[in-house]
Amino acid sequence: NAGVTQTPKFQVLKTGQSMTLQCAQDMNHNSMYWYRQDPGMGLRLIYYSASEGTTDKGEVPNGYNVSRLNKREFSLRLESAAPSQTSVYFCASSVLAGAHEQFFGPGTRLTVL
Amino acid sequence: AQTVTQSQPEMSVQEAETVTLSCTYDTSESDYYLFWYKQPPSRQMILVIRQEAYKQQNATENRFSVNFQKAAKSFSLKISDSQLGDAAMYFCAYRTLEYGNKLVFGAGTILRVKS
């Protein structure tokens, strides 16, 4: 099993460009999450999908959209990238209920010039 | 809203010694879960240990143990017999049992291990 995979690993964009970050998990997990990690601030939740067919805003959703394509895949889209969106993005997944932890992907380092 | 505070931006420990990383949190929930994650330079987030709030017994995983003080809302991580491979950023995280089971992270503590 690959666990949680993310593509791409690195990306450089110009201000105003758009892109989609892809995430997939092969653990049959119900819930999936997108976080961003900025220096000195830990990880902050952007959007999450508690189950297939549902998505909800997290702490910092502005400038982002998400799609839960199916149970395996959860994508994050930047419609018009801004320098403030320069960050490392992590996708995670977990079983919906119980004490199970979230499993993280390797992250995508995004730079917006 | 829940918050998690890690008051130590950076810590150092000598190899084979013991170090304790601090974490406090704020919540109005009575039932929840707490985690410590390790992030080495590879960026991969690795679960170190977890604690269920309803359990009074402190969790242990080999050289890693926690001191969970529910009334004080404190959740510290003790690393015994520190090894060079323990050097990483450590994040304390709170998991709500509300819809979505979201994680709230602290800002992290960089742990340096000296040989």
Side-chain angles (χ1 to χ4, degrees):
Chain A
N1 288 349
V4 180
T5 57
Q6 292 183 236
T7 55
K9 287 188 167 51
F10 301 93
Q11 184 71 48
V12 178
L13 294 178
K14 295 181 179 178
T15 298
Q17 287 185 317
S18 62
M19 79 160 295
T20 299
L21 280 65
Q22 305 288 353
C23 173
Q25 52 89 11
D26 62 1
M27 297 174 284
N28 201 35
H29 284 171
N30 292 296
S31 301
M32 297 186 74
Y33 310 81
W34 276 106
Y35 295 89
R36 60 177 289 172
Q37 182 180 19
D38 301 301
M41 300 187 74
L43 280 74
R44 291 181 294 168
L45 183 64
I46 304 171
Y47 270 94
Y48 66 100
S49 172
S51 60
E52 187 179 357
T54 69
T55 60
D56 289 279
K57 295 179 180 179
E59 184 183 356
V60 287
N62 291 345
Y64 305 95
N65 284 301
V66 291
S67 296
R68 183 75 183 266
L69 306 170
N70 48 55
K71 191 171 185 178
R72 289 187 64 249
E73 299 171 288
F74 188 40
S75 62
L76 178 72
R77 182 161 178 83
L78 287 71
E79 290 290 352
S80 179
S84 61
Q85 294 178 306
T86 293
S87 189
V88 180
Y89 291 85
F90 286 96
C91 177
S93 70
S94 75
V95 175
L96 181 60
H100 302 275
E101 75 268 23
Q102 292 184 12
F103 293 83
F104 286 81
T108 295
R109 181 175 292 279
L110 174 66
T111 302
V112 183
L113 302 175
Chain B
Q2 298 86 4
T3 59
V4 176
T5 302
Q6 293 178 249
S7 59
Q8 306 153 318
E10 190 169 327
M11 293 283 285
S12 291
V13 63
Q14 199 71 33
E15 202 174 3
E17 297 291 307
T18 295
V19 65
T20 298
L21 308 184
S22 300
C23 173
T24 59
Y25 58 94
D26 188 25
T27 183
S28 58
E29 295 180 323
S30 59
D31 200 11
Y32 46 86
Y33 296 90
L34 296 162
F35 302 87
W36 279 98
Y37 279 89
K38 171 186 178 181
Q39 186 181 43
S42 66
R43 276 202 326 243
Q44 184 67 50
M45 295 287 287
I46 303 165
L47 178 68
V48 175
I49 199 166
R50 70 167 168 244
Q51 174 79 44
E52 292 90 337
Y54 66 87
K55 289 186 177 180
Q56 292 190 341
Q57 187 174 5
N58 290 326
T60 62
E61 286 288 341
N62 300 314
R63 297 183 295 107
F64 299 87
S65 61
V66 299
N67 183 4
F68 173 50
Q69 302 288 330
K70 189 173 184 179
K73 295 180 181 175
S74 171
F75 182 60
S76 61
L77 175 69
K78 185 172 81 172
I79 306 174
S80 304
D81 186 24
S82 296
Q83 300 174 0
L84 293 176
D86 295 334
M89 175 79 88
Y90 287 81
F91 291 99
C92 177
Y94 171 103
R95 178 168 173 162
T96 174
L97 291 182
E98 295 173 351
Y99 178 72
N101 299 124
K102 295 169 283 187
L103 279 177
V104 178
F105 285 86
T109 297
I110 298 172
L111 178 65
R112 304 192 192 282
V113 181
K114 296 180 283 189
S115 59

